[in-house]
Amino acid sequence: MTSTKLSPRITIPRLENGDKLNRFEFEHRYSAMPELKKAELIEGIVYMASPLRITQHGEPHAHIMLWLGFYRSFTPNLQLGDNCTVRLDLDNEPQPDAILRIKVGGQSTISDDDYIEGAPELIVEIAASSVSIDLHQKLNVYRRNEVQEYLVWRVENGELDWFRLNAGEYVKVAPNSEGIICSVVFPGLWLDRTALLAGNLAKVLDVLQQGLASQEHQDFVSDLASRQ
């Protein structure tokens, strides 16, 4: 009589908040949990999102996507992403609230399995307050991986921080004399910070339209079109 040797069943450990993993093990465990909506690897530590409130996160997130989406509609060769996984390095795989990247000729690429690899030019995070990971661990990770512009909306504090990479360091950008912050990486991407924080989307889009009508945006559109 011949006996059959059964192979032991291989069980993939669940992803848990606080796990210390490299990017490959993180992805392996994450893919085995299709019910999990958001987990990030920051400096080798797993962070798993709590349920999101509409006033503190959902609505501000929607306003940012509206602003960026309007800009994207009039600017070719760009890709806008909402909660996309970004492979930055072996210890960091965040899932930012919003990214804007140059598709052809930019500093990031899309992998064969459809993930962003490398740093998008712009990342936006919606944070609860100044104690958030977004203004500490993530800020250092994005700086080190050369995300060119990084926006953090601190909803509880009623503040929006716009950082621009300069000589390897993030410099906080102040609004101009008209209260508008203008992107350097994405010419014409203008933001009336006060209007955004007040929920005045009509004014936010009006100011953005002024940026889209600027000569710098027209020159940028021509440059982007030539790269395709």
Side-chain angles (χ1 to χ4, degrees):
M1 182 176 178
T2 303
S3 61
T4 302
K5 187 176 181 180
L6 299 176
S7 299
R9 178 178 295 178
I10 299 175
T11 302
I12 300 174
R14 289 181 58 82
L15 201 60
E16 300 288 351
N17 205 29
D19 281 345
K20 302 178 88 170
L21 305 171
N22 63 37
R23 198 188 77 198
F24 301 104
E25 181 62 19
F26 170 74
E27 287 189 9
H28 183 57
R29 296 192 190 186
Y30 200 169
S31 63
M33 299 174 63
E35 76 283 0
L36 182 59
K37 301 303 181 185
K38 183 169 183 175
E40 301 180 285
L41 186 70
I42 307 297
E43 301 290 48
I45 305 295
V46 174
Y47 292 87
M48 298 169 69
S50 302
L52 300 176
R53 296 178 175 87
I54 186 164
T55 303
Q56 289 190 345
H57 194 278
E59 186 176 38
H61 186 139
H63 291 178
I64 287 291
M65 295 307 297
L66 176 64
W67 171 63
L68 290 176
F70 197 87
Y71 179 81
R72 165 65 187 85
S73 298
F74 296 93
T75 315
N77 192 21
L78 299 186
Q79 189 169 37
L80 173 62
D82 181 339
N83 272 292
C84 301
T85 294
V86 179
R87 292 169 172 162
L88 288 177
D89 57 41
L90 290 176
D91 294 317
N92 292 283
E93 190 166 315
Q95 194 172 323
D97 289 312
I99 68 97
L100 190 63
R101 61 181 293 271
I102 298 173
K103 289 202 287 188
V104 179
Q107 62 181 27
S108 62
T109 59
I110 303 300
S111 67
D112 291 339
D113 53 351
D114 200 32
Y115 289 105
I116 299 170
E117 295 191 338
E121 281 74 18
L122 182 144
I123 284 179
V124 184
E125 298 278 15
I126 309 300
S129 69
S130 59
V131 300
S132 168
I133 182 177
D134 298 312
L135 272 175
H136 299 280
Q137 294 97 321
K138 277 190 182 179
L139 183 142
N140 287 325
V141 169
Y142 292 157
R143 176 193 57 79
R144 192 171 67 242
N145 283 277
E146 299 187 342
V147 174
Q148 297 299 305
E149 293 186 316
Y150 177 40
L151 283 67
V152 182
W153 186 345
R154 295 183 280 131
V155 179
E156 288 183 359
N157 301 121
E159 295 288 347
L160 185 140
D161 305 307
W162 188 315
F163 299 97
R164 183 175 299 146
L165 193 64
N166 182 19
E169 298 295 335
Y170 271 147
V171 176
K172 191 172 178 180
V173 182
N176 62 21
S177 58
E178 297 178 345
I180 299 169
I181 302 178
C182 304
S183 172
V184 171
V185 179
F186 295 103
L189 182 61
W190 294 4
L191 178 64
D192 186 318
R193 174 179 165 277
T194 301
L196 180 70
L197 294 175
N200 187 348
L201 295 183
K203 188 172 182 182
V204 169
L205 296 182
D206 180 63
V207 168
L208 178 55
Q209 284 180 310
Q210 295 175 42
L212 292 170
S214 67
Q215 186 62 50
E216 63 180 13
H217 180 257
Q218 294 175 41
D219 293 342
F220 185 50
V221 166
S222 297
D223 176 55
L224 289 173
S226 70
R227 304 186 198 185
Q228 293 180 294

